[in-house]
Amino acid sequence: MPVDYGLYPDNWREIADRIKREVDYVCQHCGMQCRRPGEPFDTHRRTMSVAHYPDPDPMNVEPGNLTPLCSGCHLRLDAPLHARRAKYGKLCDGPHQHDLFPSGKRDRAHRRRQASA
């Protein structure tokens, strides 16, 4: 799904680049090393993006609401949001009442990171 940069602050690209550099392009959920600027493209899986979580509002750029994720983790994070939009035509009200990364998936990712370390 293409990004509508009109919904984001004018300096969104600078904010996102800073967040990615702070974590050295490592996904904060699964620990995968993503491509840095200038590295050759090999797969979309190693493309880093910055997710708005827990508040999905693109204008909320508070540091606690921005999480750098690989594209796979970002898609999994957004799936329930897109499902709610498709079903109800709008976002749900209030904070999310569920964990977008169920504990089983989080535990498996944690074990994978520990095994590779």
Side-chain angles (χ1 to χ4, degrees), residues 19-60:
I19 297 288
K20 294 171 190 179
R21 281 192 313 270
E22 287 174 359
V23 298
D24 195 27
Y25 292 85
V26 174
C27 177
Q28 297 301 287
H29 176 68
C30 71
M32 178 169 43
Q33 178 66 58
C34 294
R35 287 183 296 112
R36 294 178 180 91
E39 288 185 3
F41 177 83
D42 54 356
T43 173
H44 286 290
R45 290 188 44 158
R46 290 188 350 103
T47 300
M48 177 160 272
S49 60
V50 177
H52 290 79
Y53 181 76
D55 180 7
D57 178 12
M59 293 301 281
N60 183 352

Side-chain angles (χ1 to χ4, degrees), residues 11 29 38 41 52 58 64 66 72 88 111 117:
N11 63 340
H29 176 68
F41 177 83
H52 290 79
L66 300 176
Y88 300 111
R111 286 193 301 272

Side-chain angles (χ1 to χ4, degrees), residues 54-113:
D55 180 7
D57 178 12
M59 293 301 281
N60 183 352
V61 293
E62 295 295 319
N65 192 51
L66 300 176
T67 306
L69 300 171
C70 67
S71 60
C73 289
H74 197 159
L75 287 170
R76 282 190 295 277
L77 176 77
D78 284 349
L81 174 69
H82 294 302
R84 283 193 303 277
R85 280 186 180 149
K87 184 173 182 180
Y88 300 111
K90 63 177 182 173
L91 294 175
C92 62
D93 295 332
H96 298 290
Q97 300 298 317
H98 54 278
D99 183 358
L100 296 179
F101 288 119
S103 61
K105 288 182 181 177
R106 182 177 36 236
D107 293 342
R108 284 193 301 275
H110 177 73
R111 286 193 301 272
R112 280 195 307 270
R113 282 193 307 272

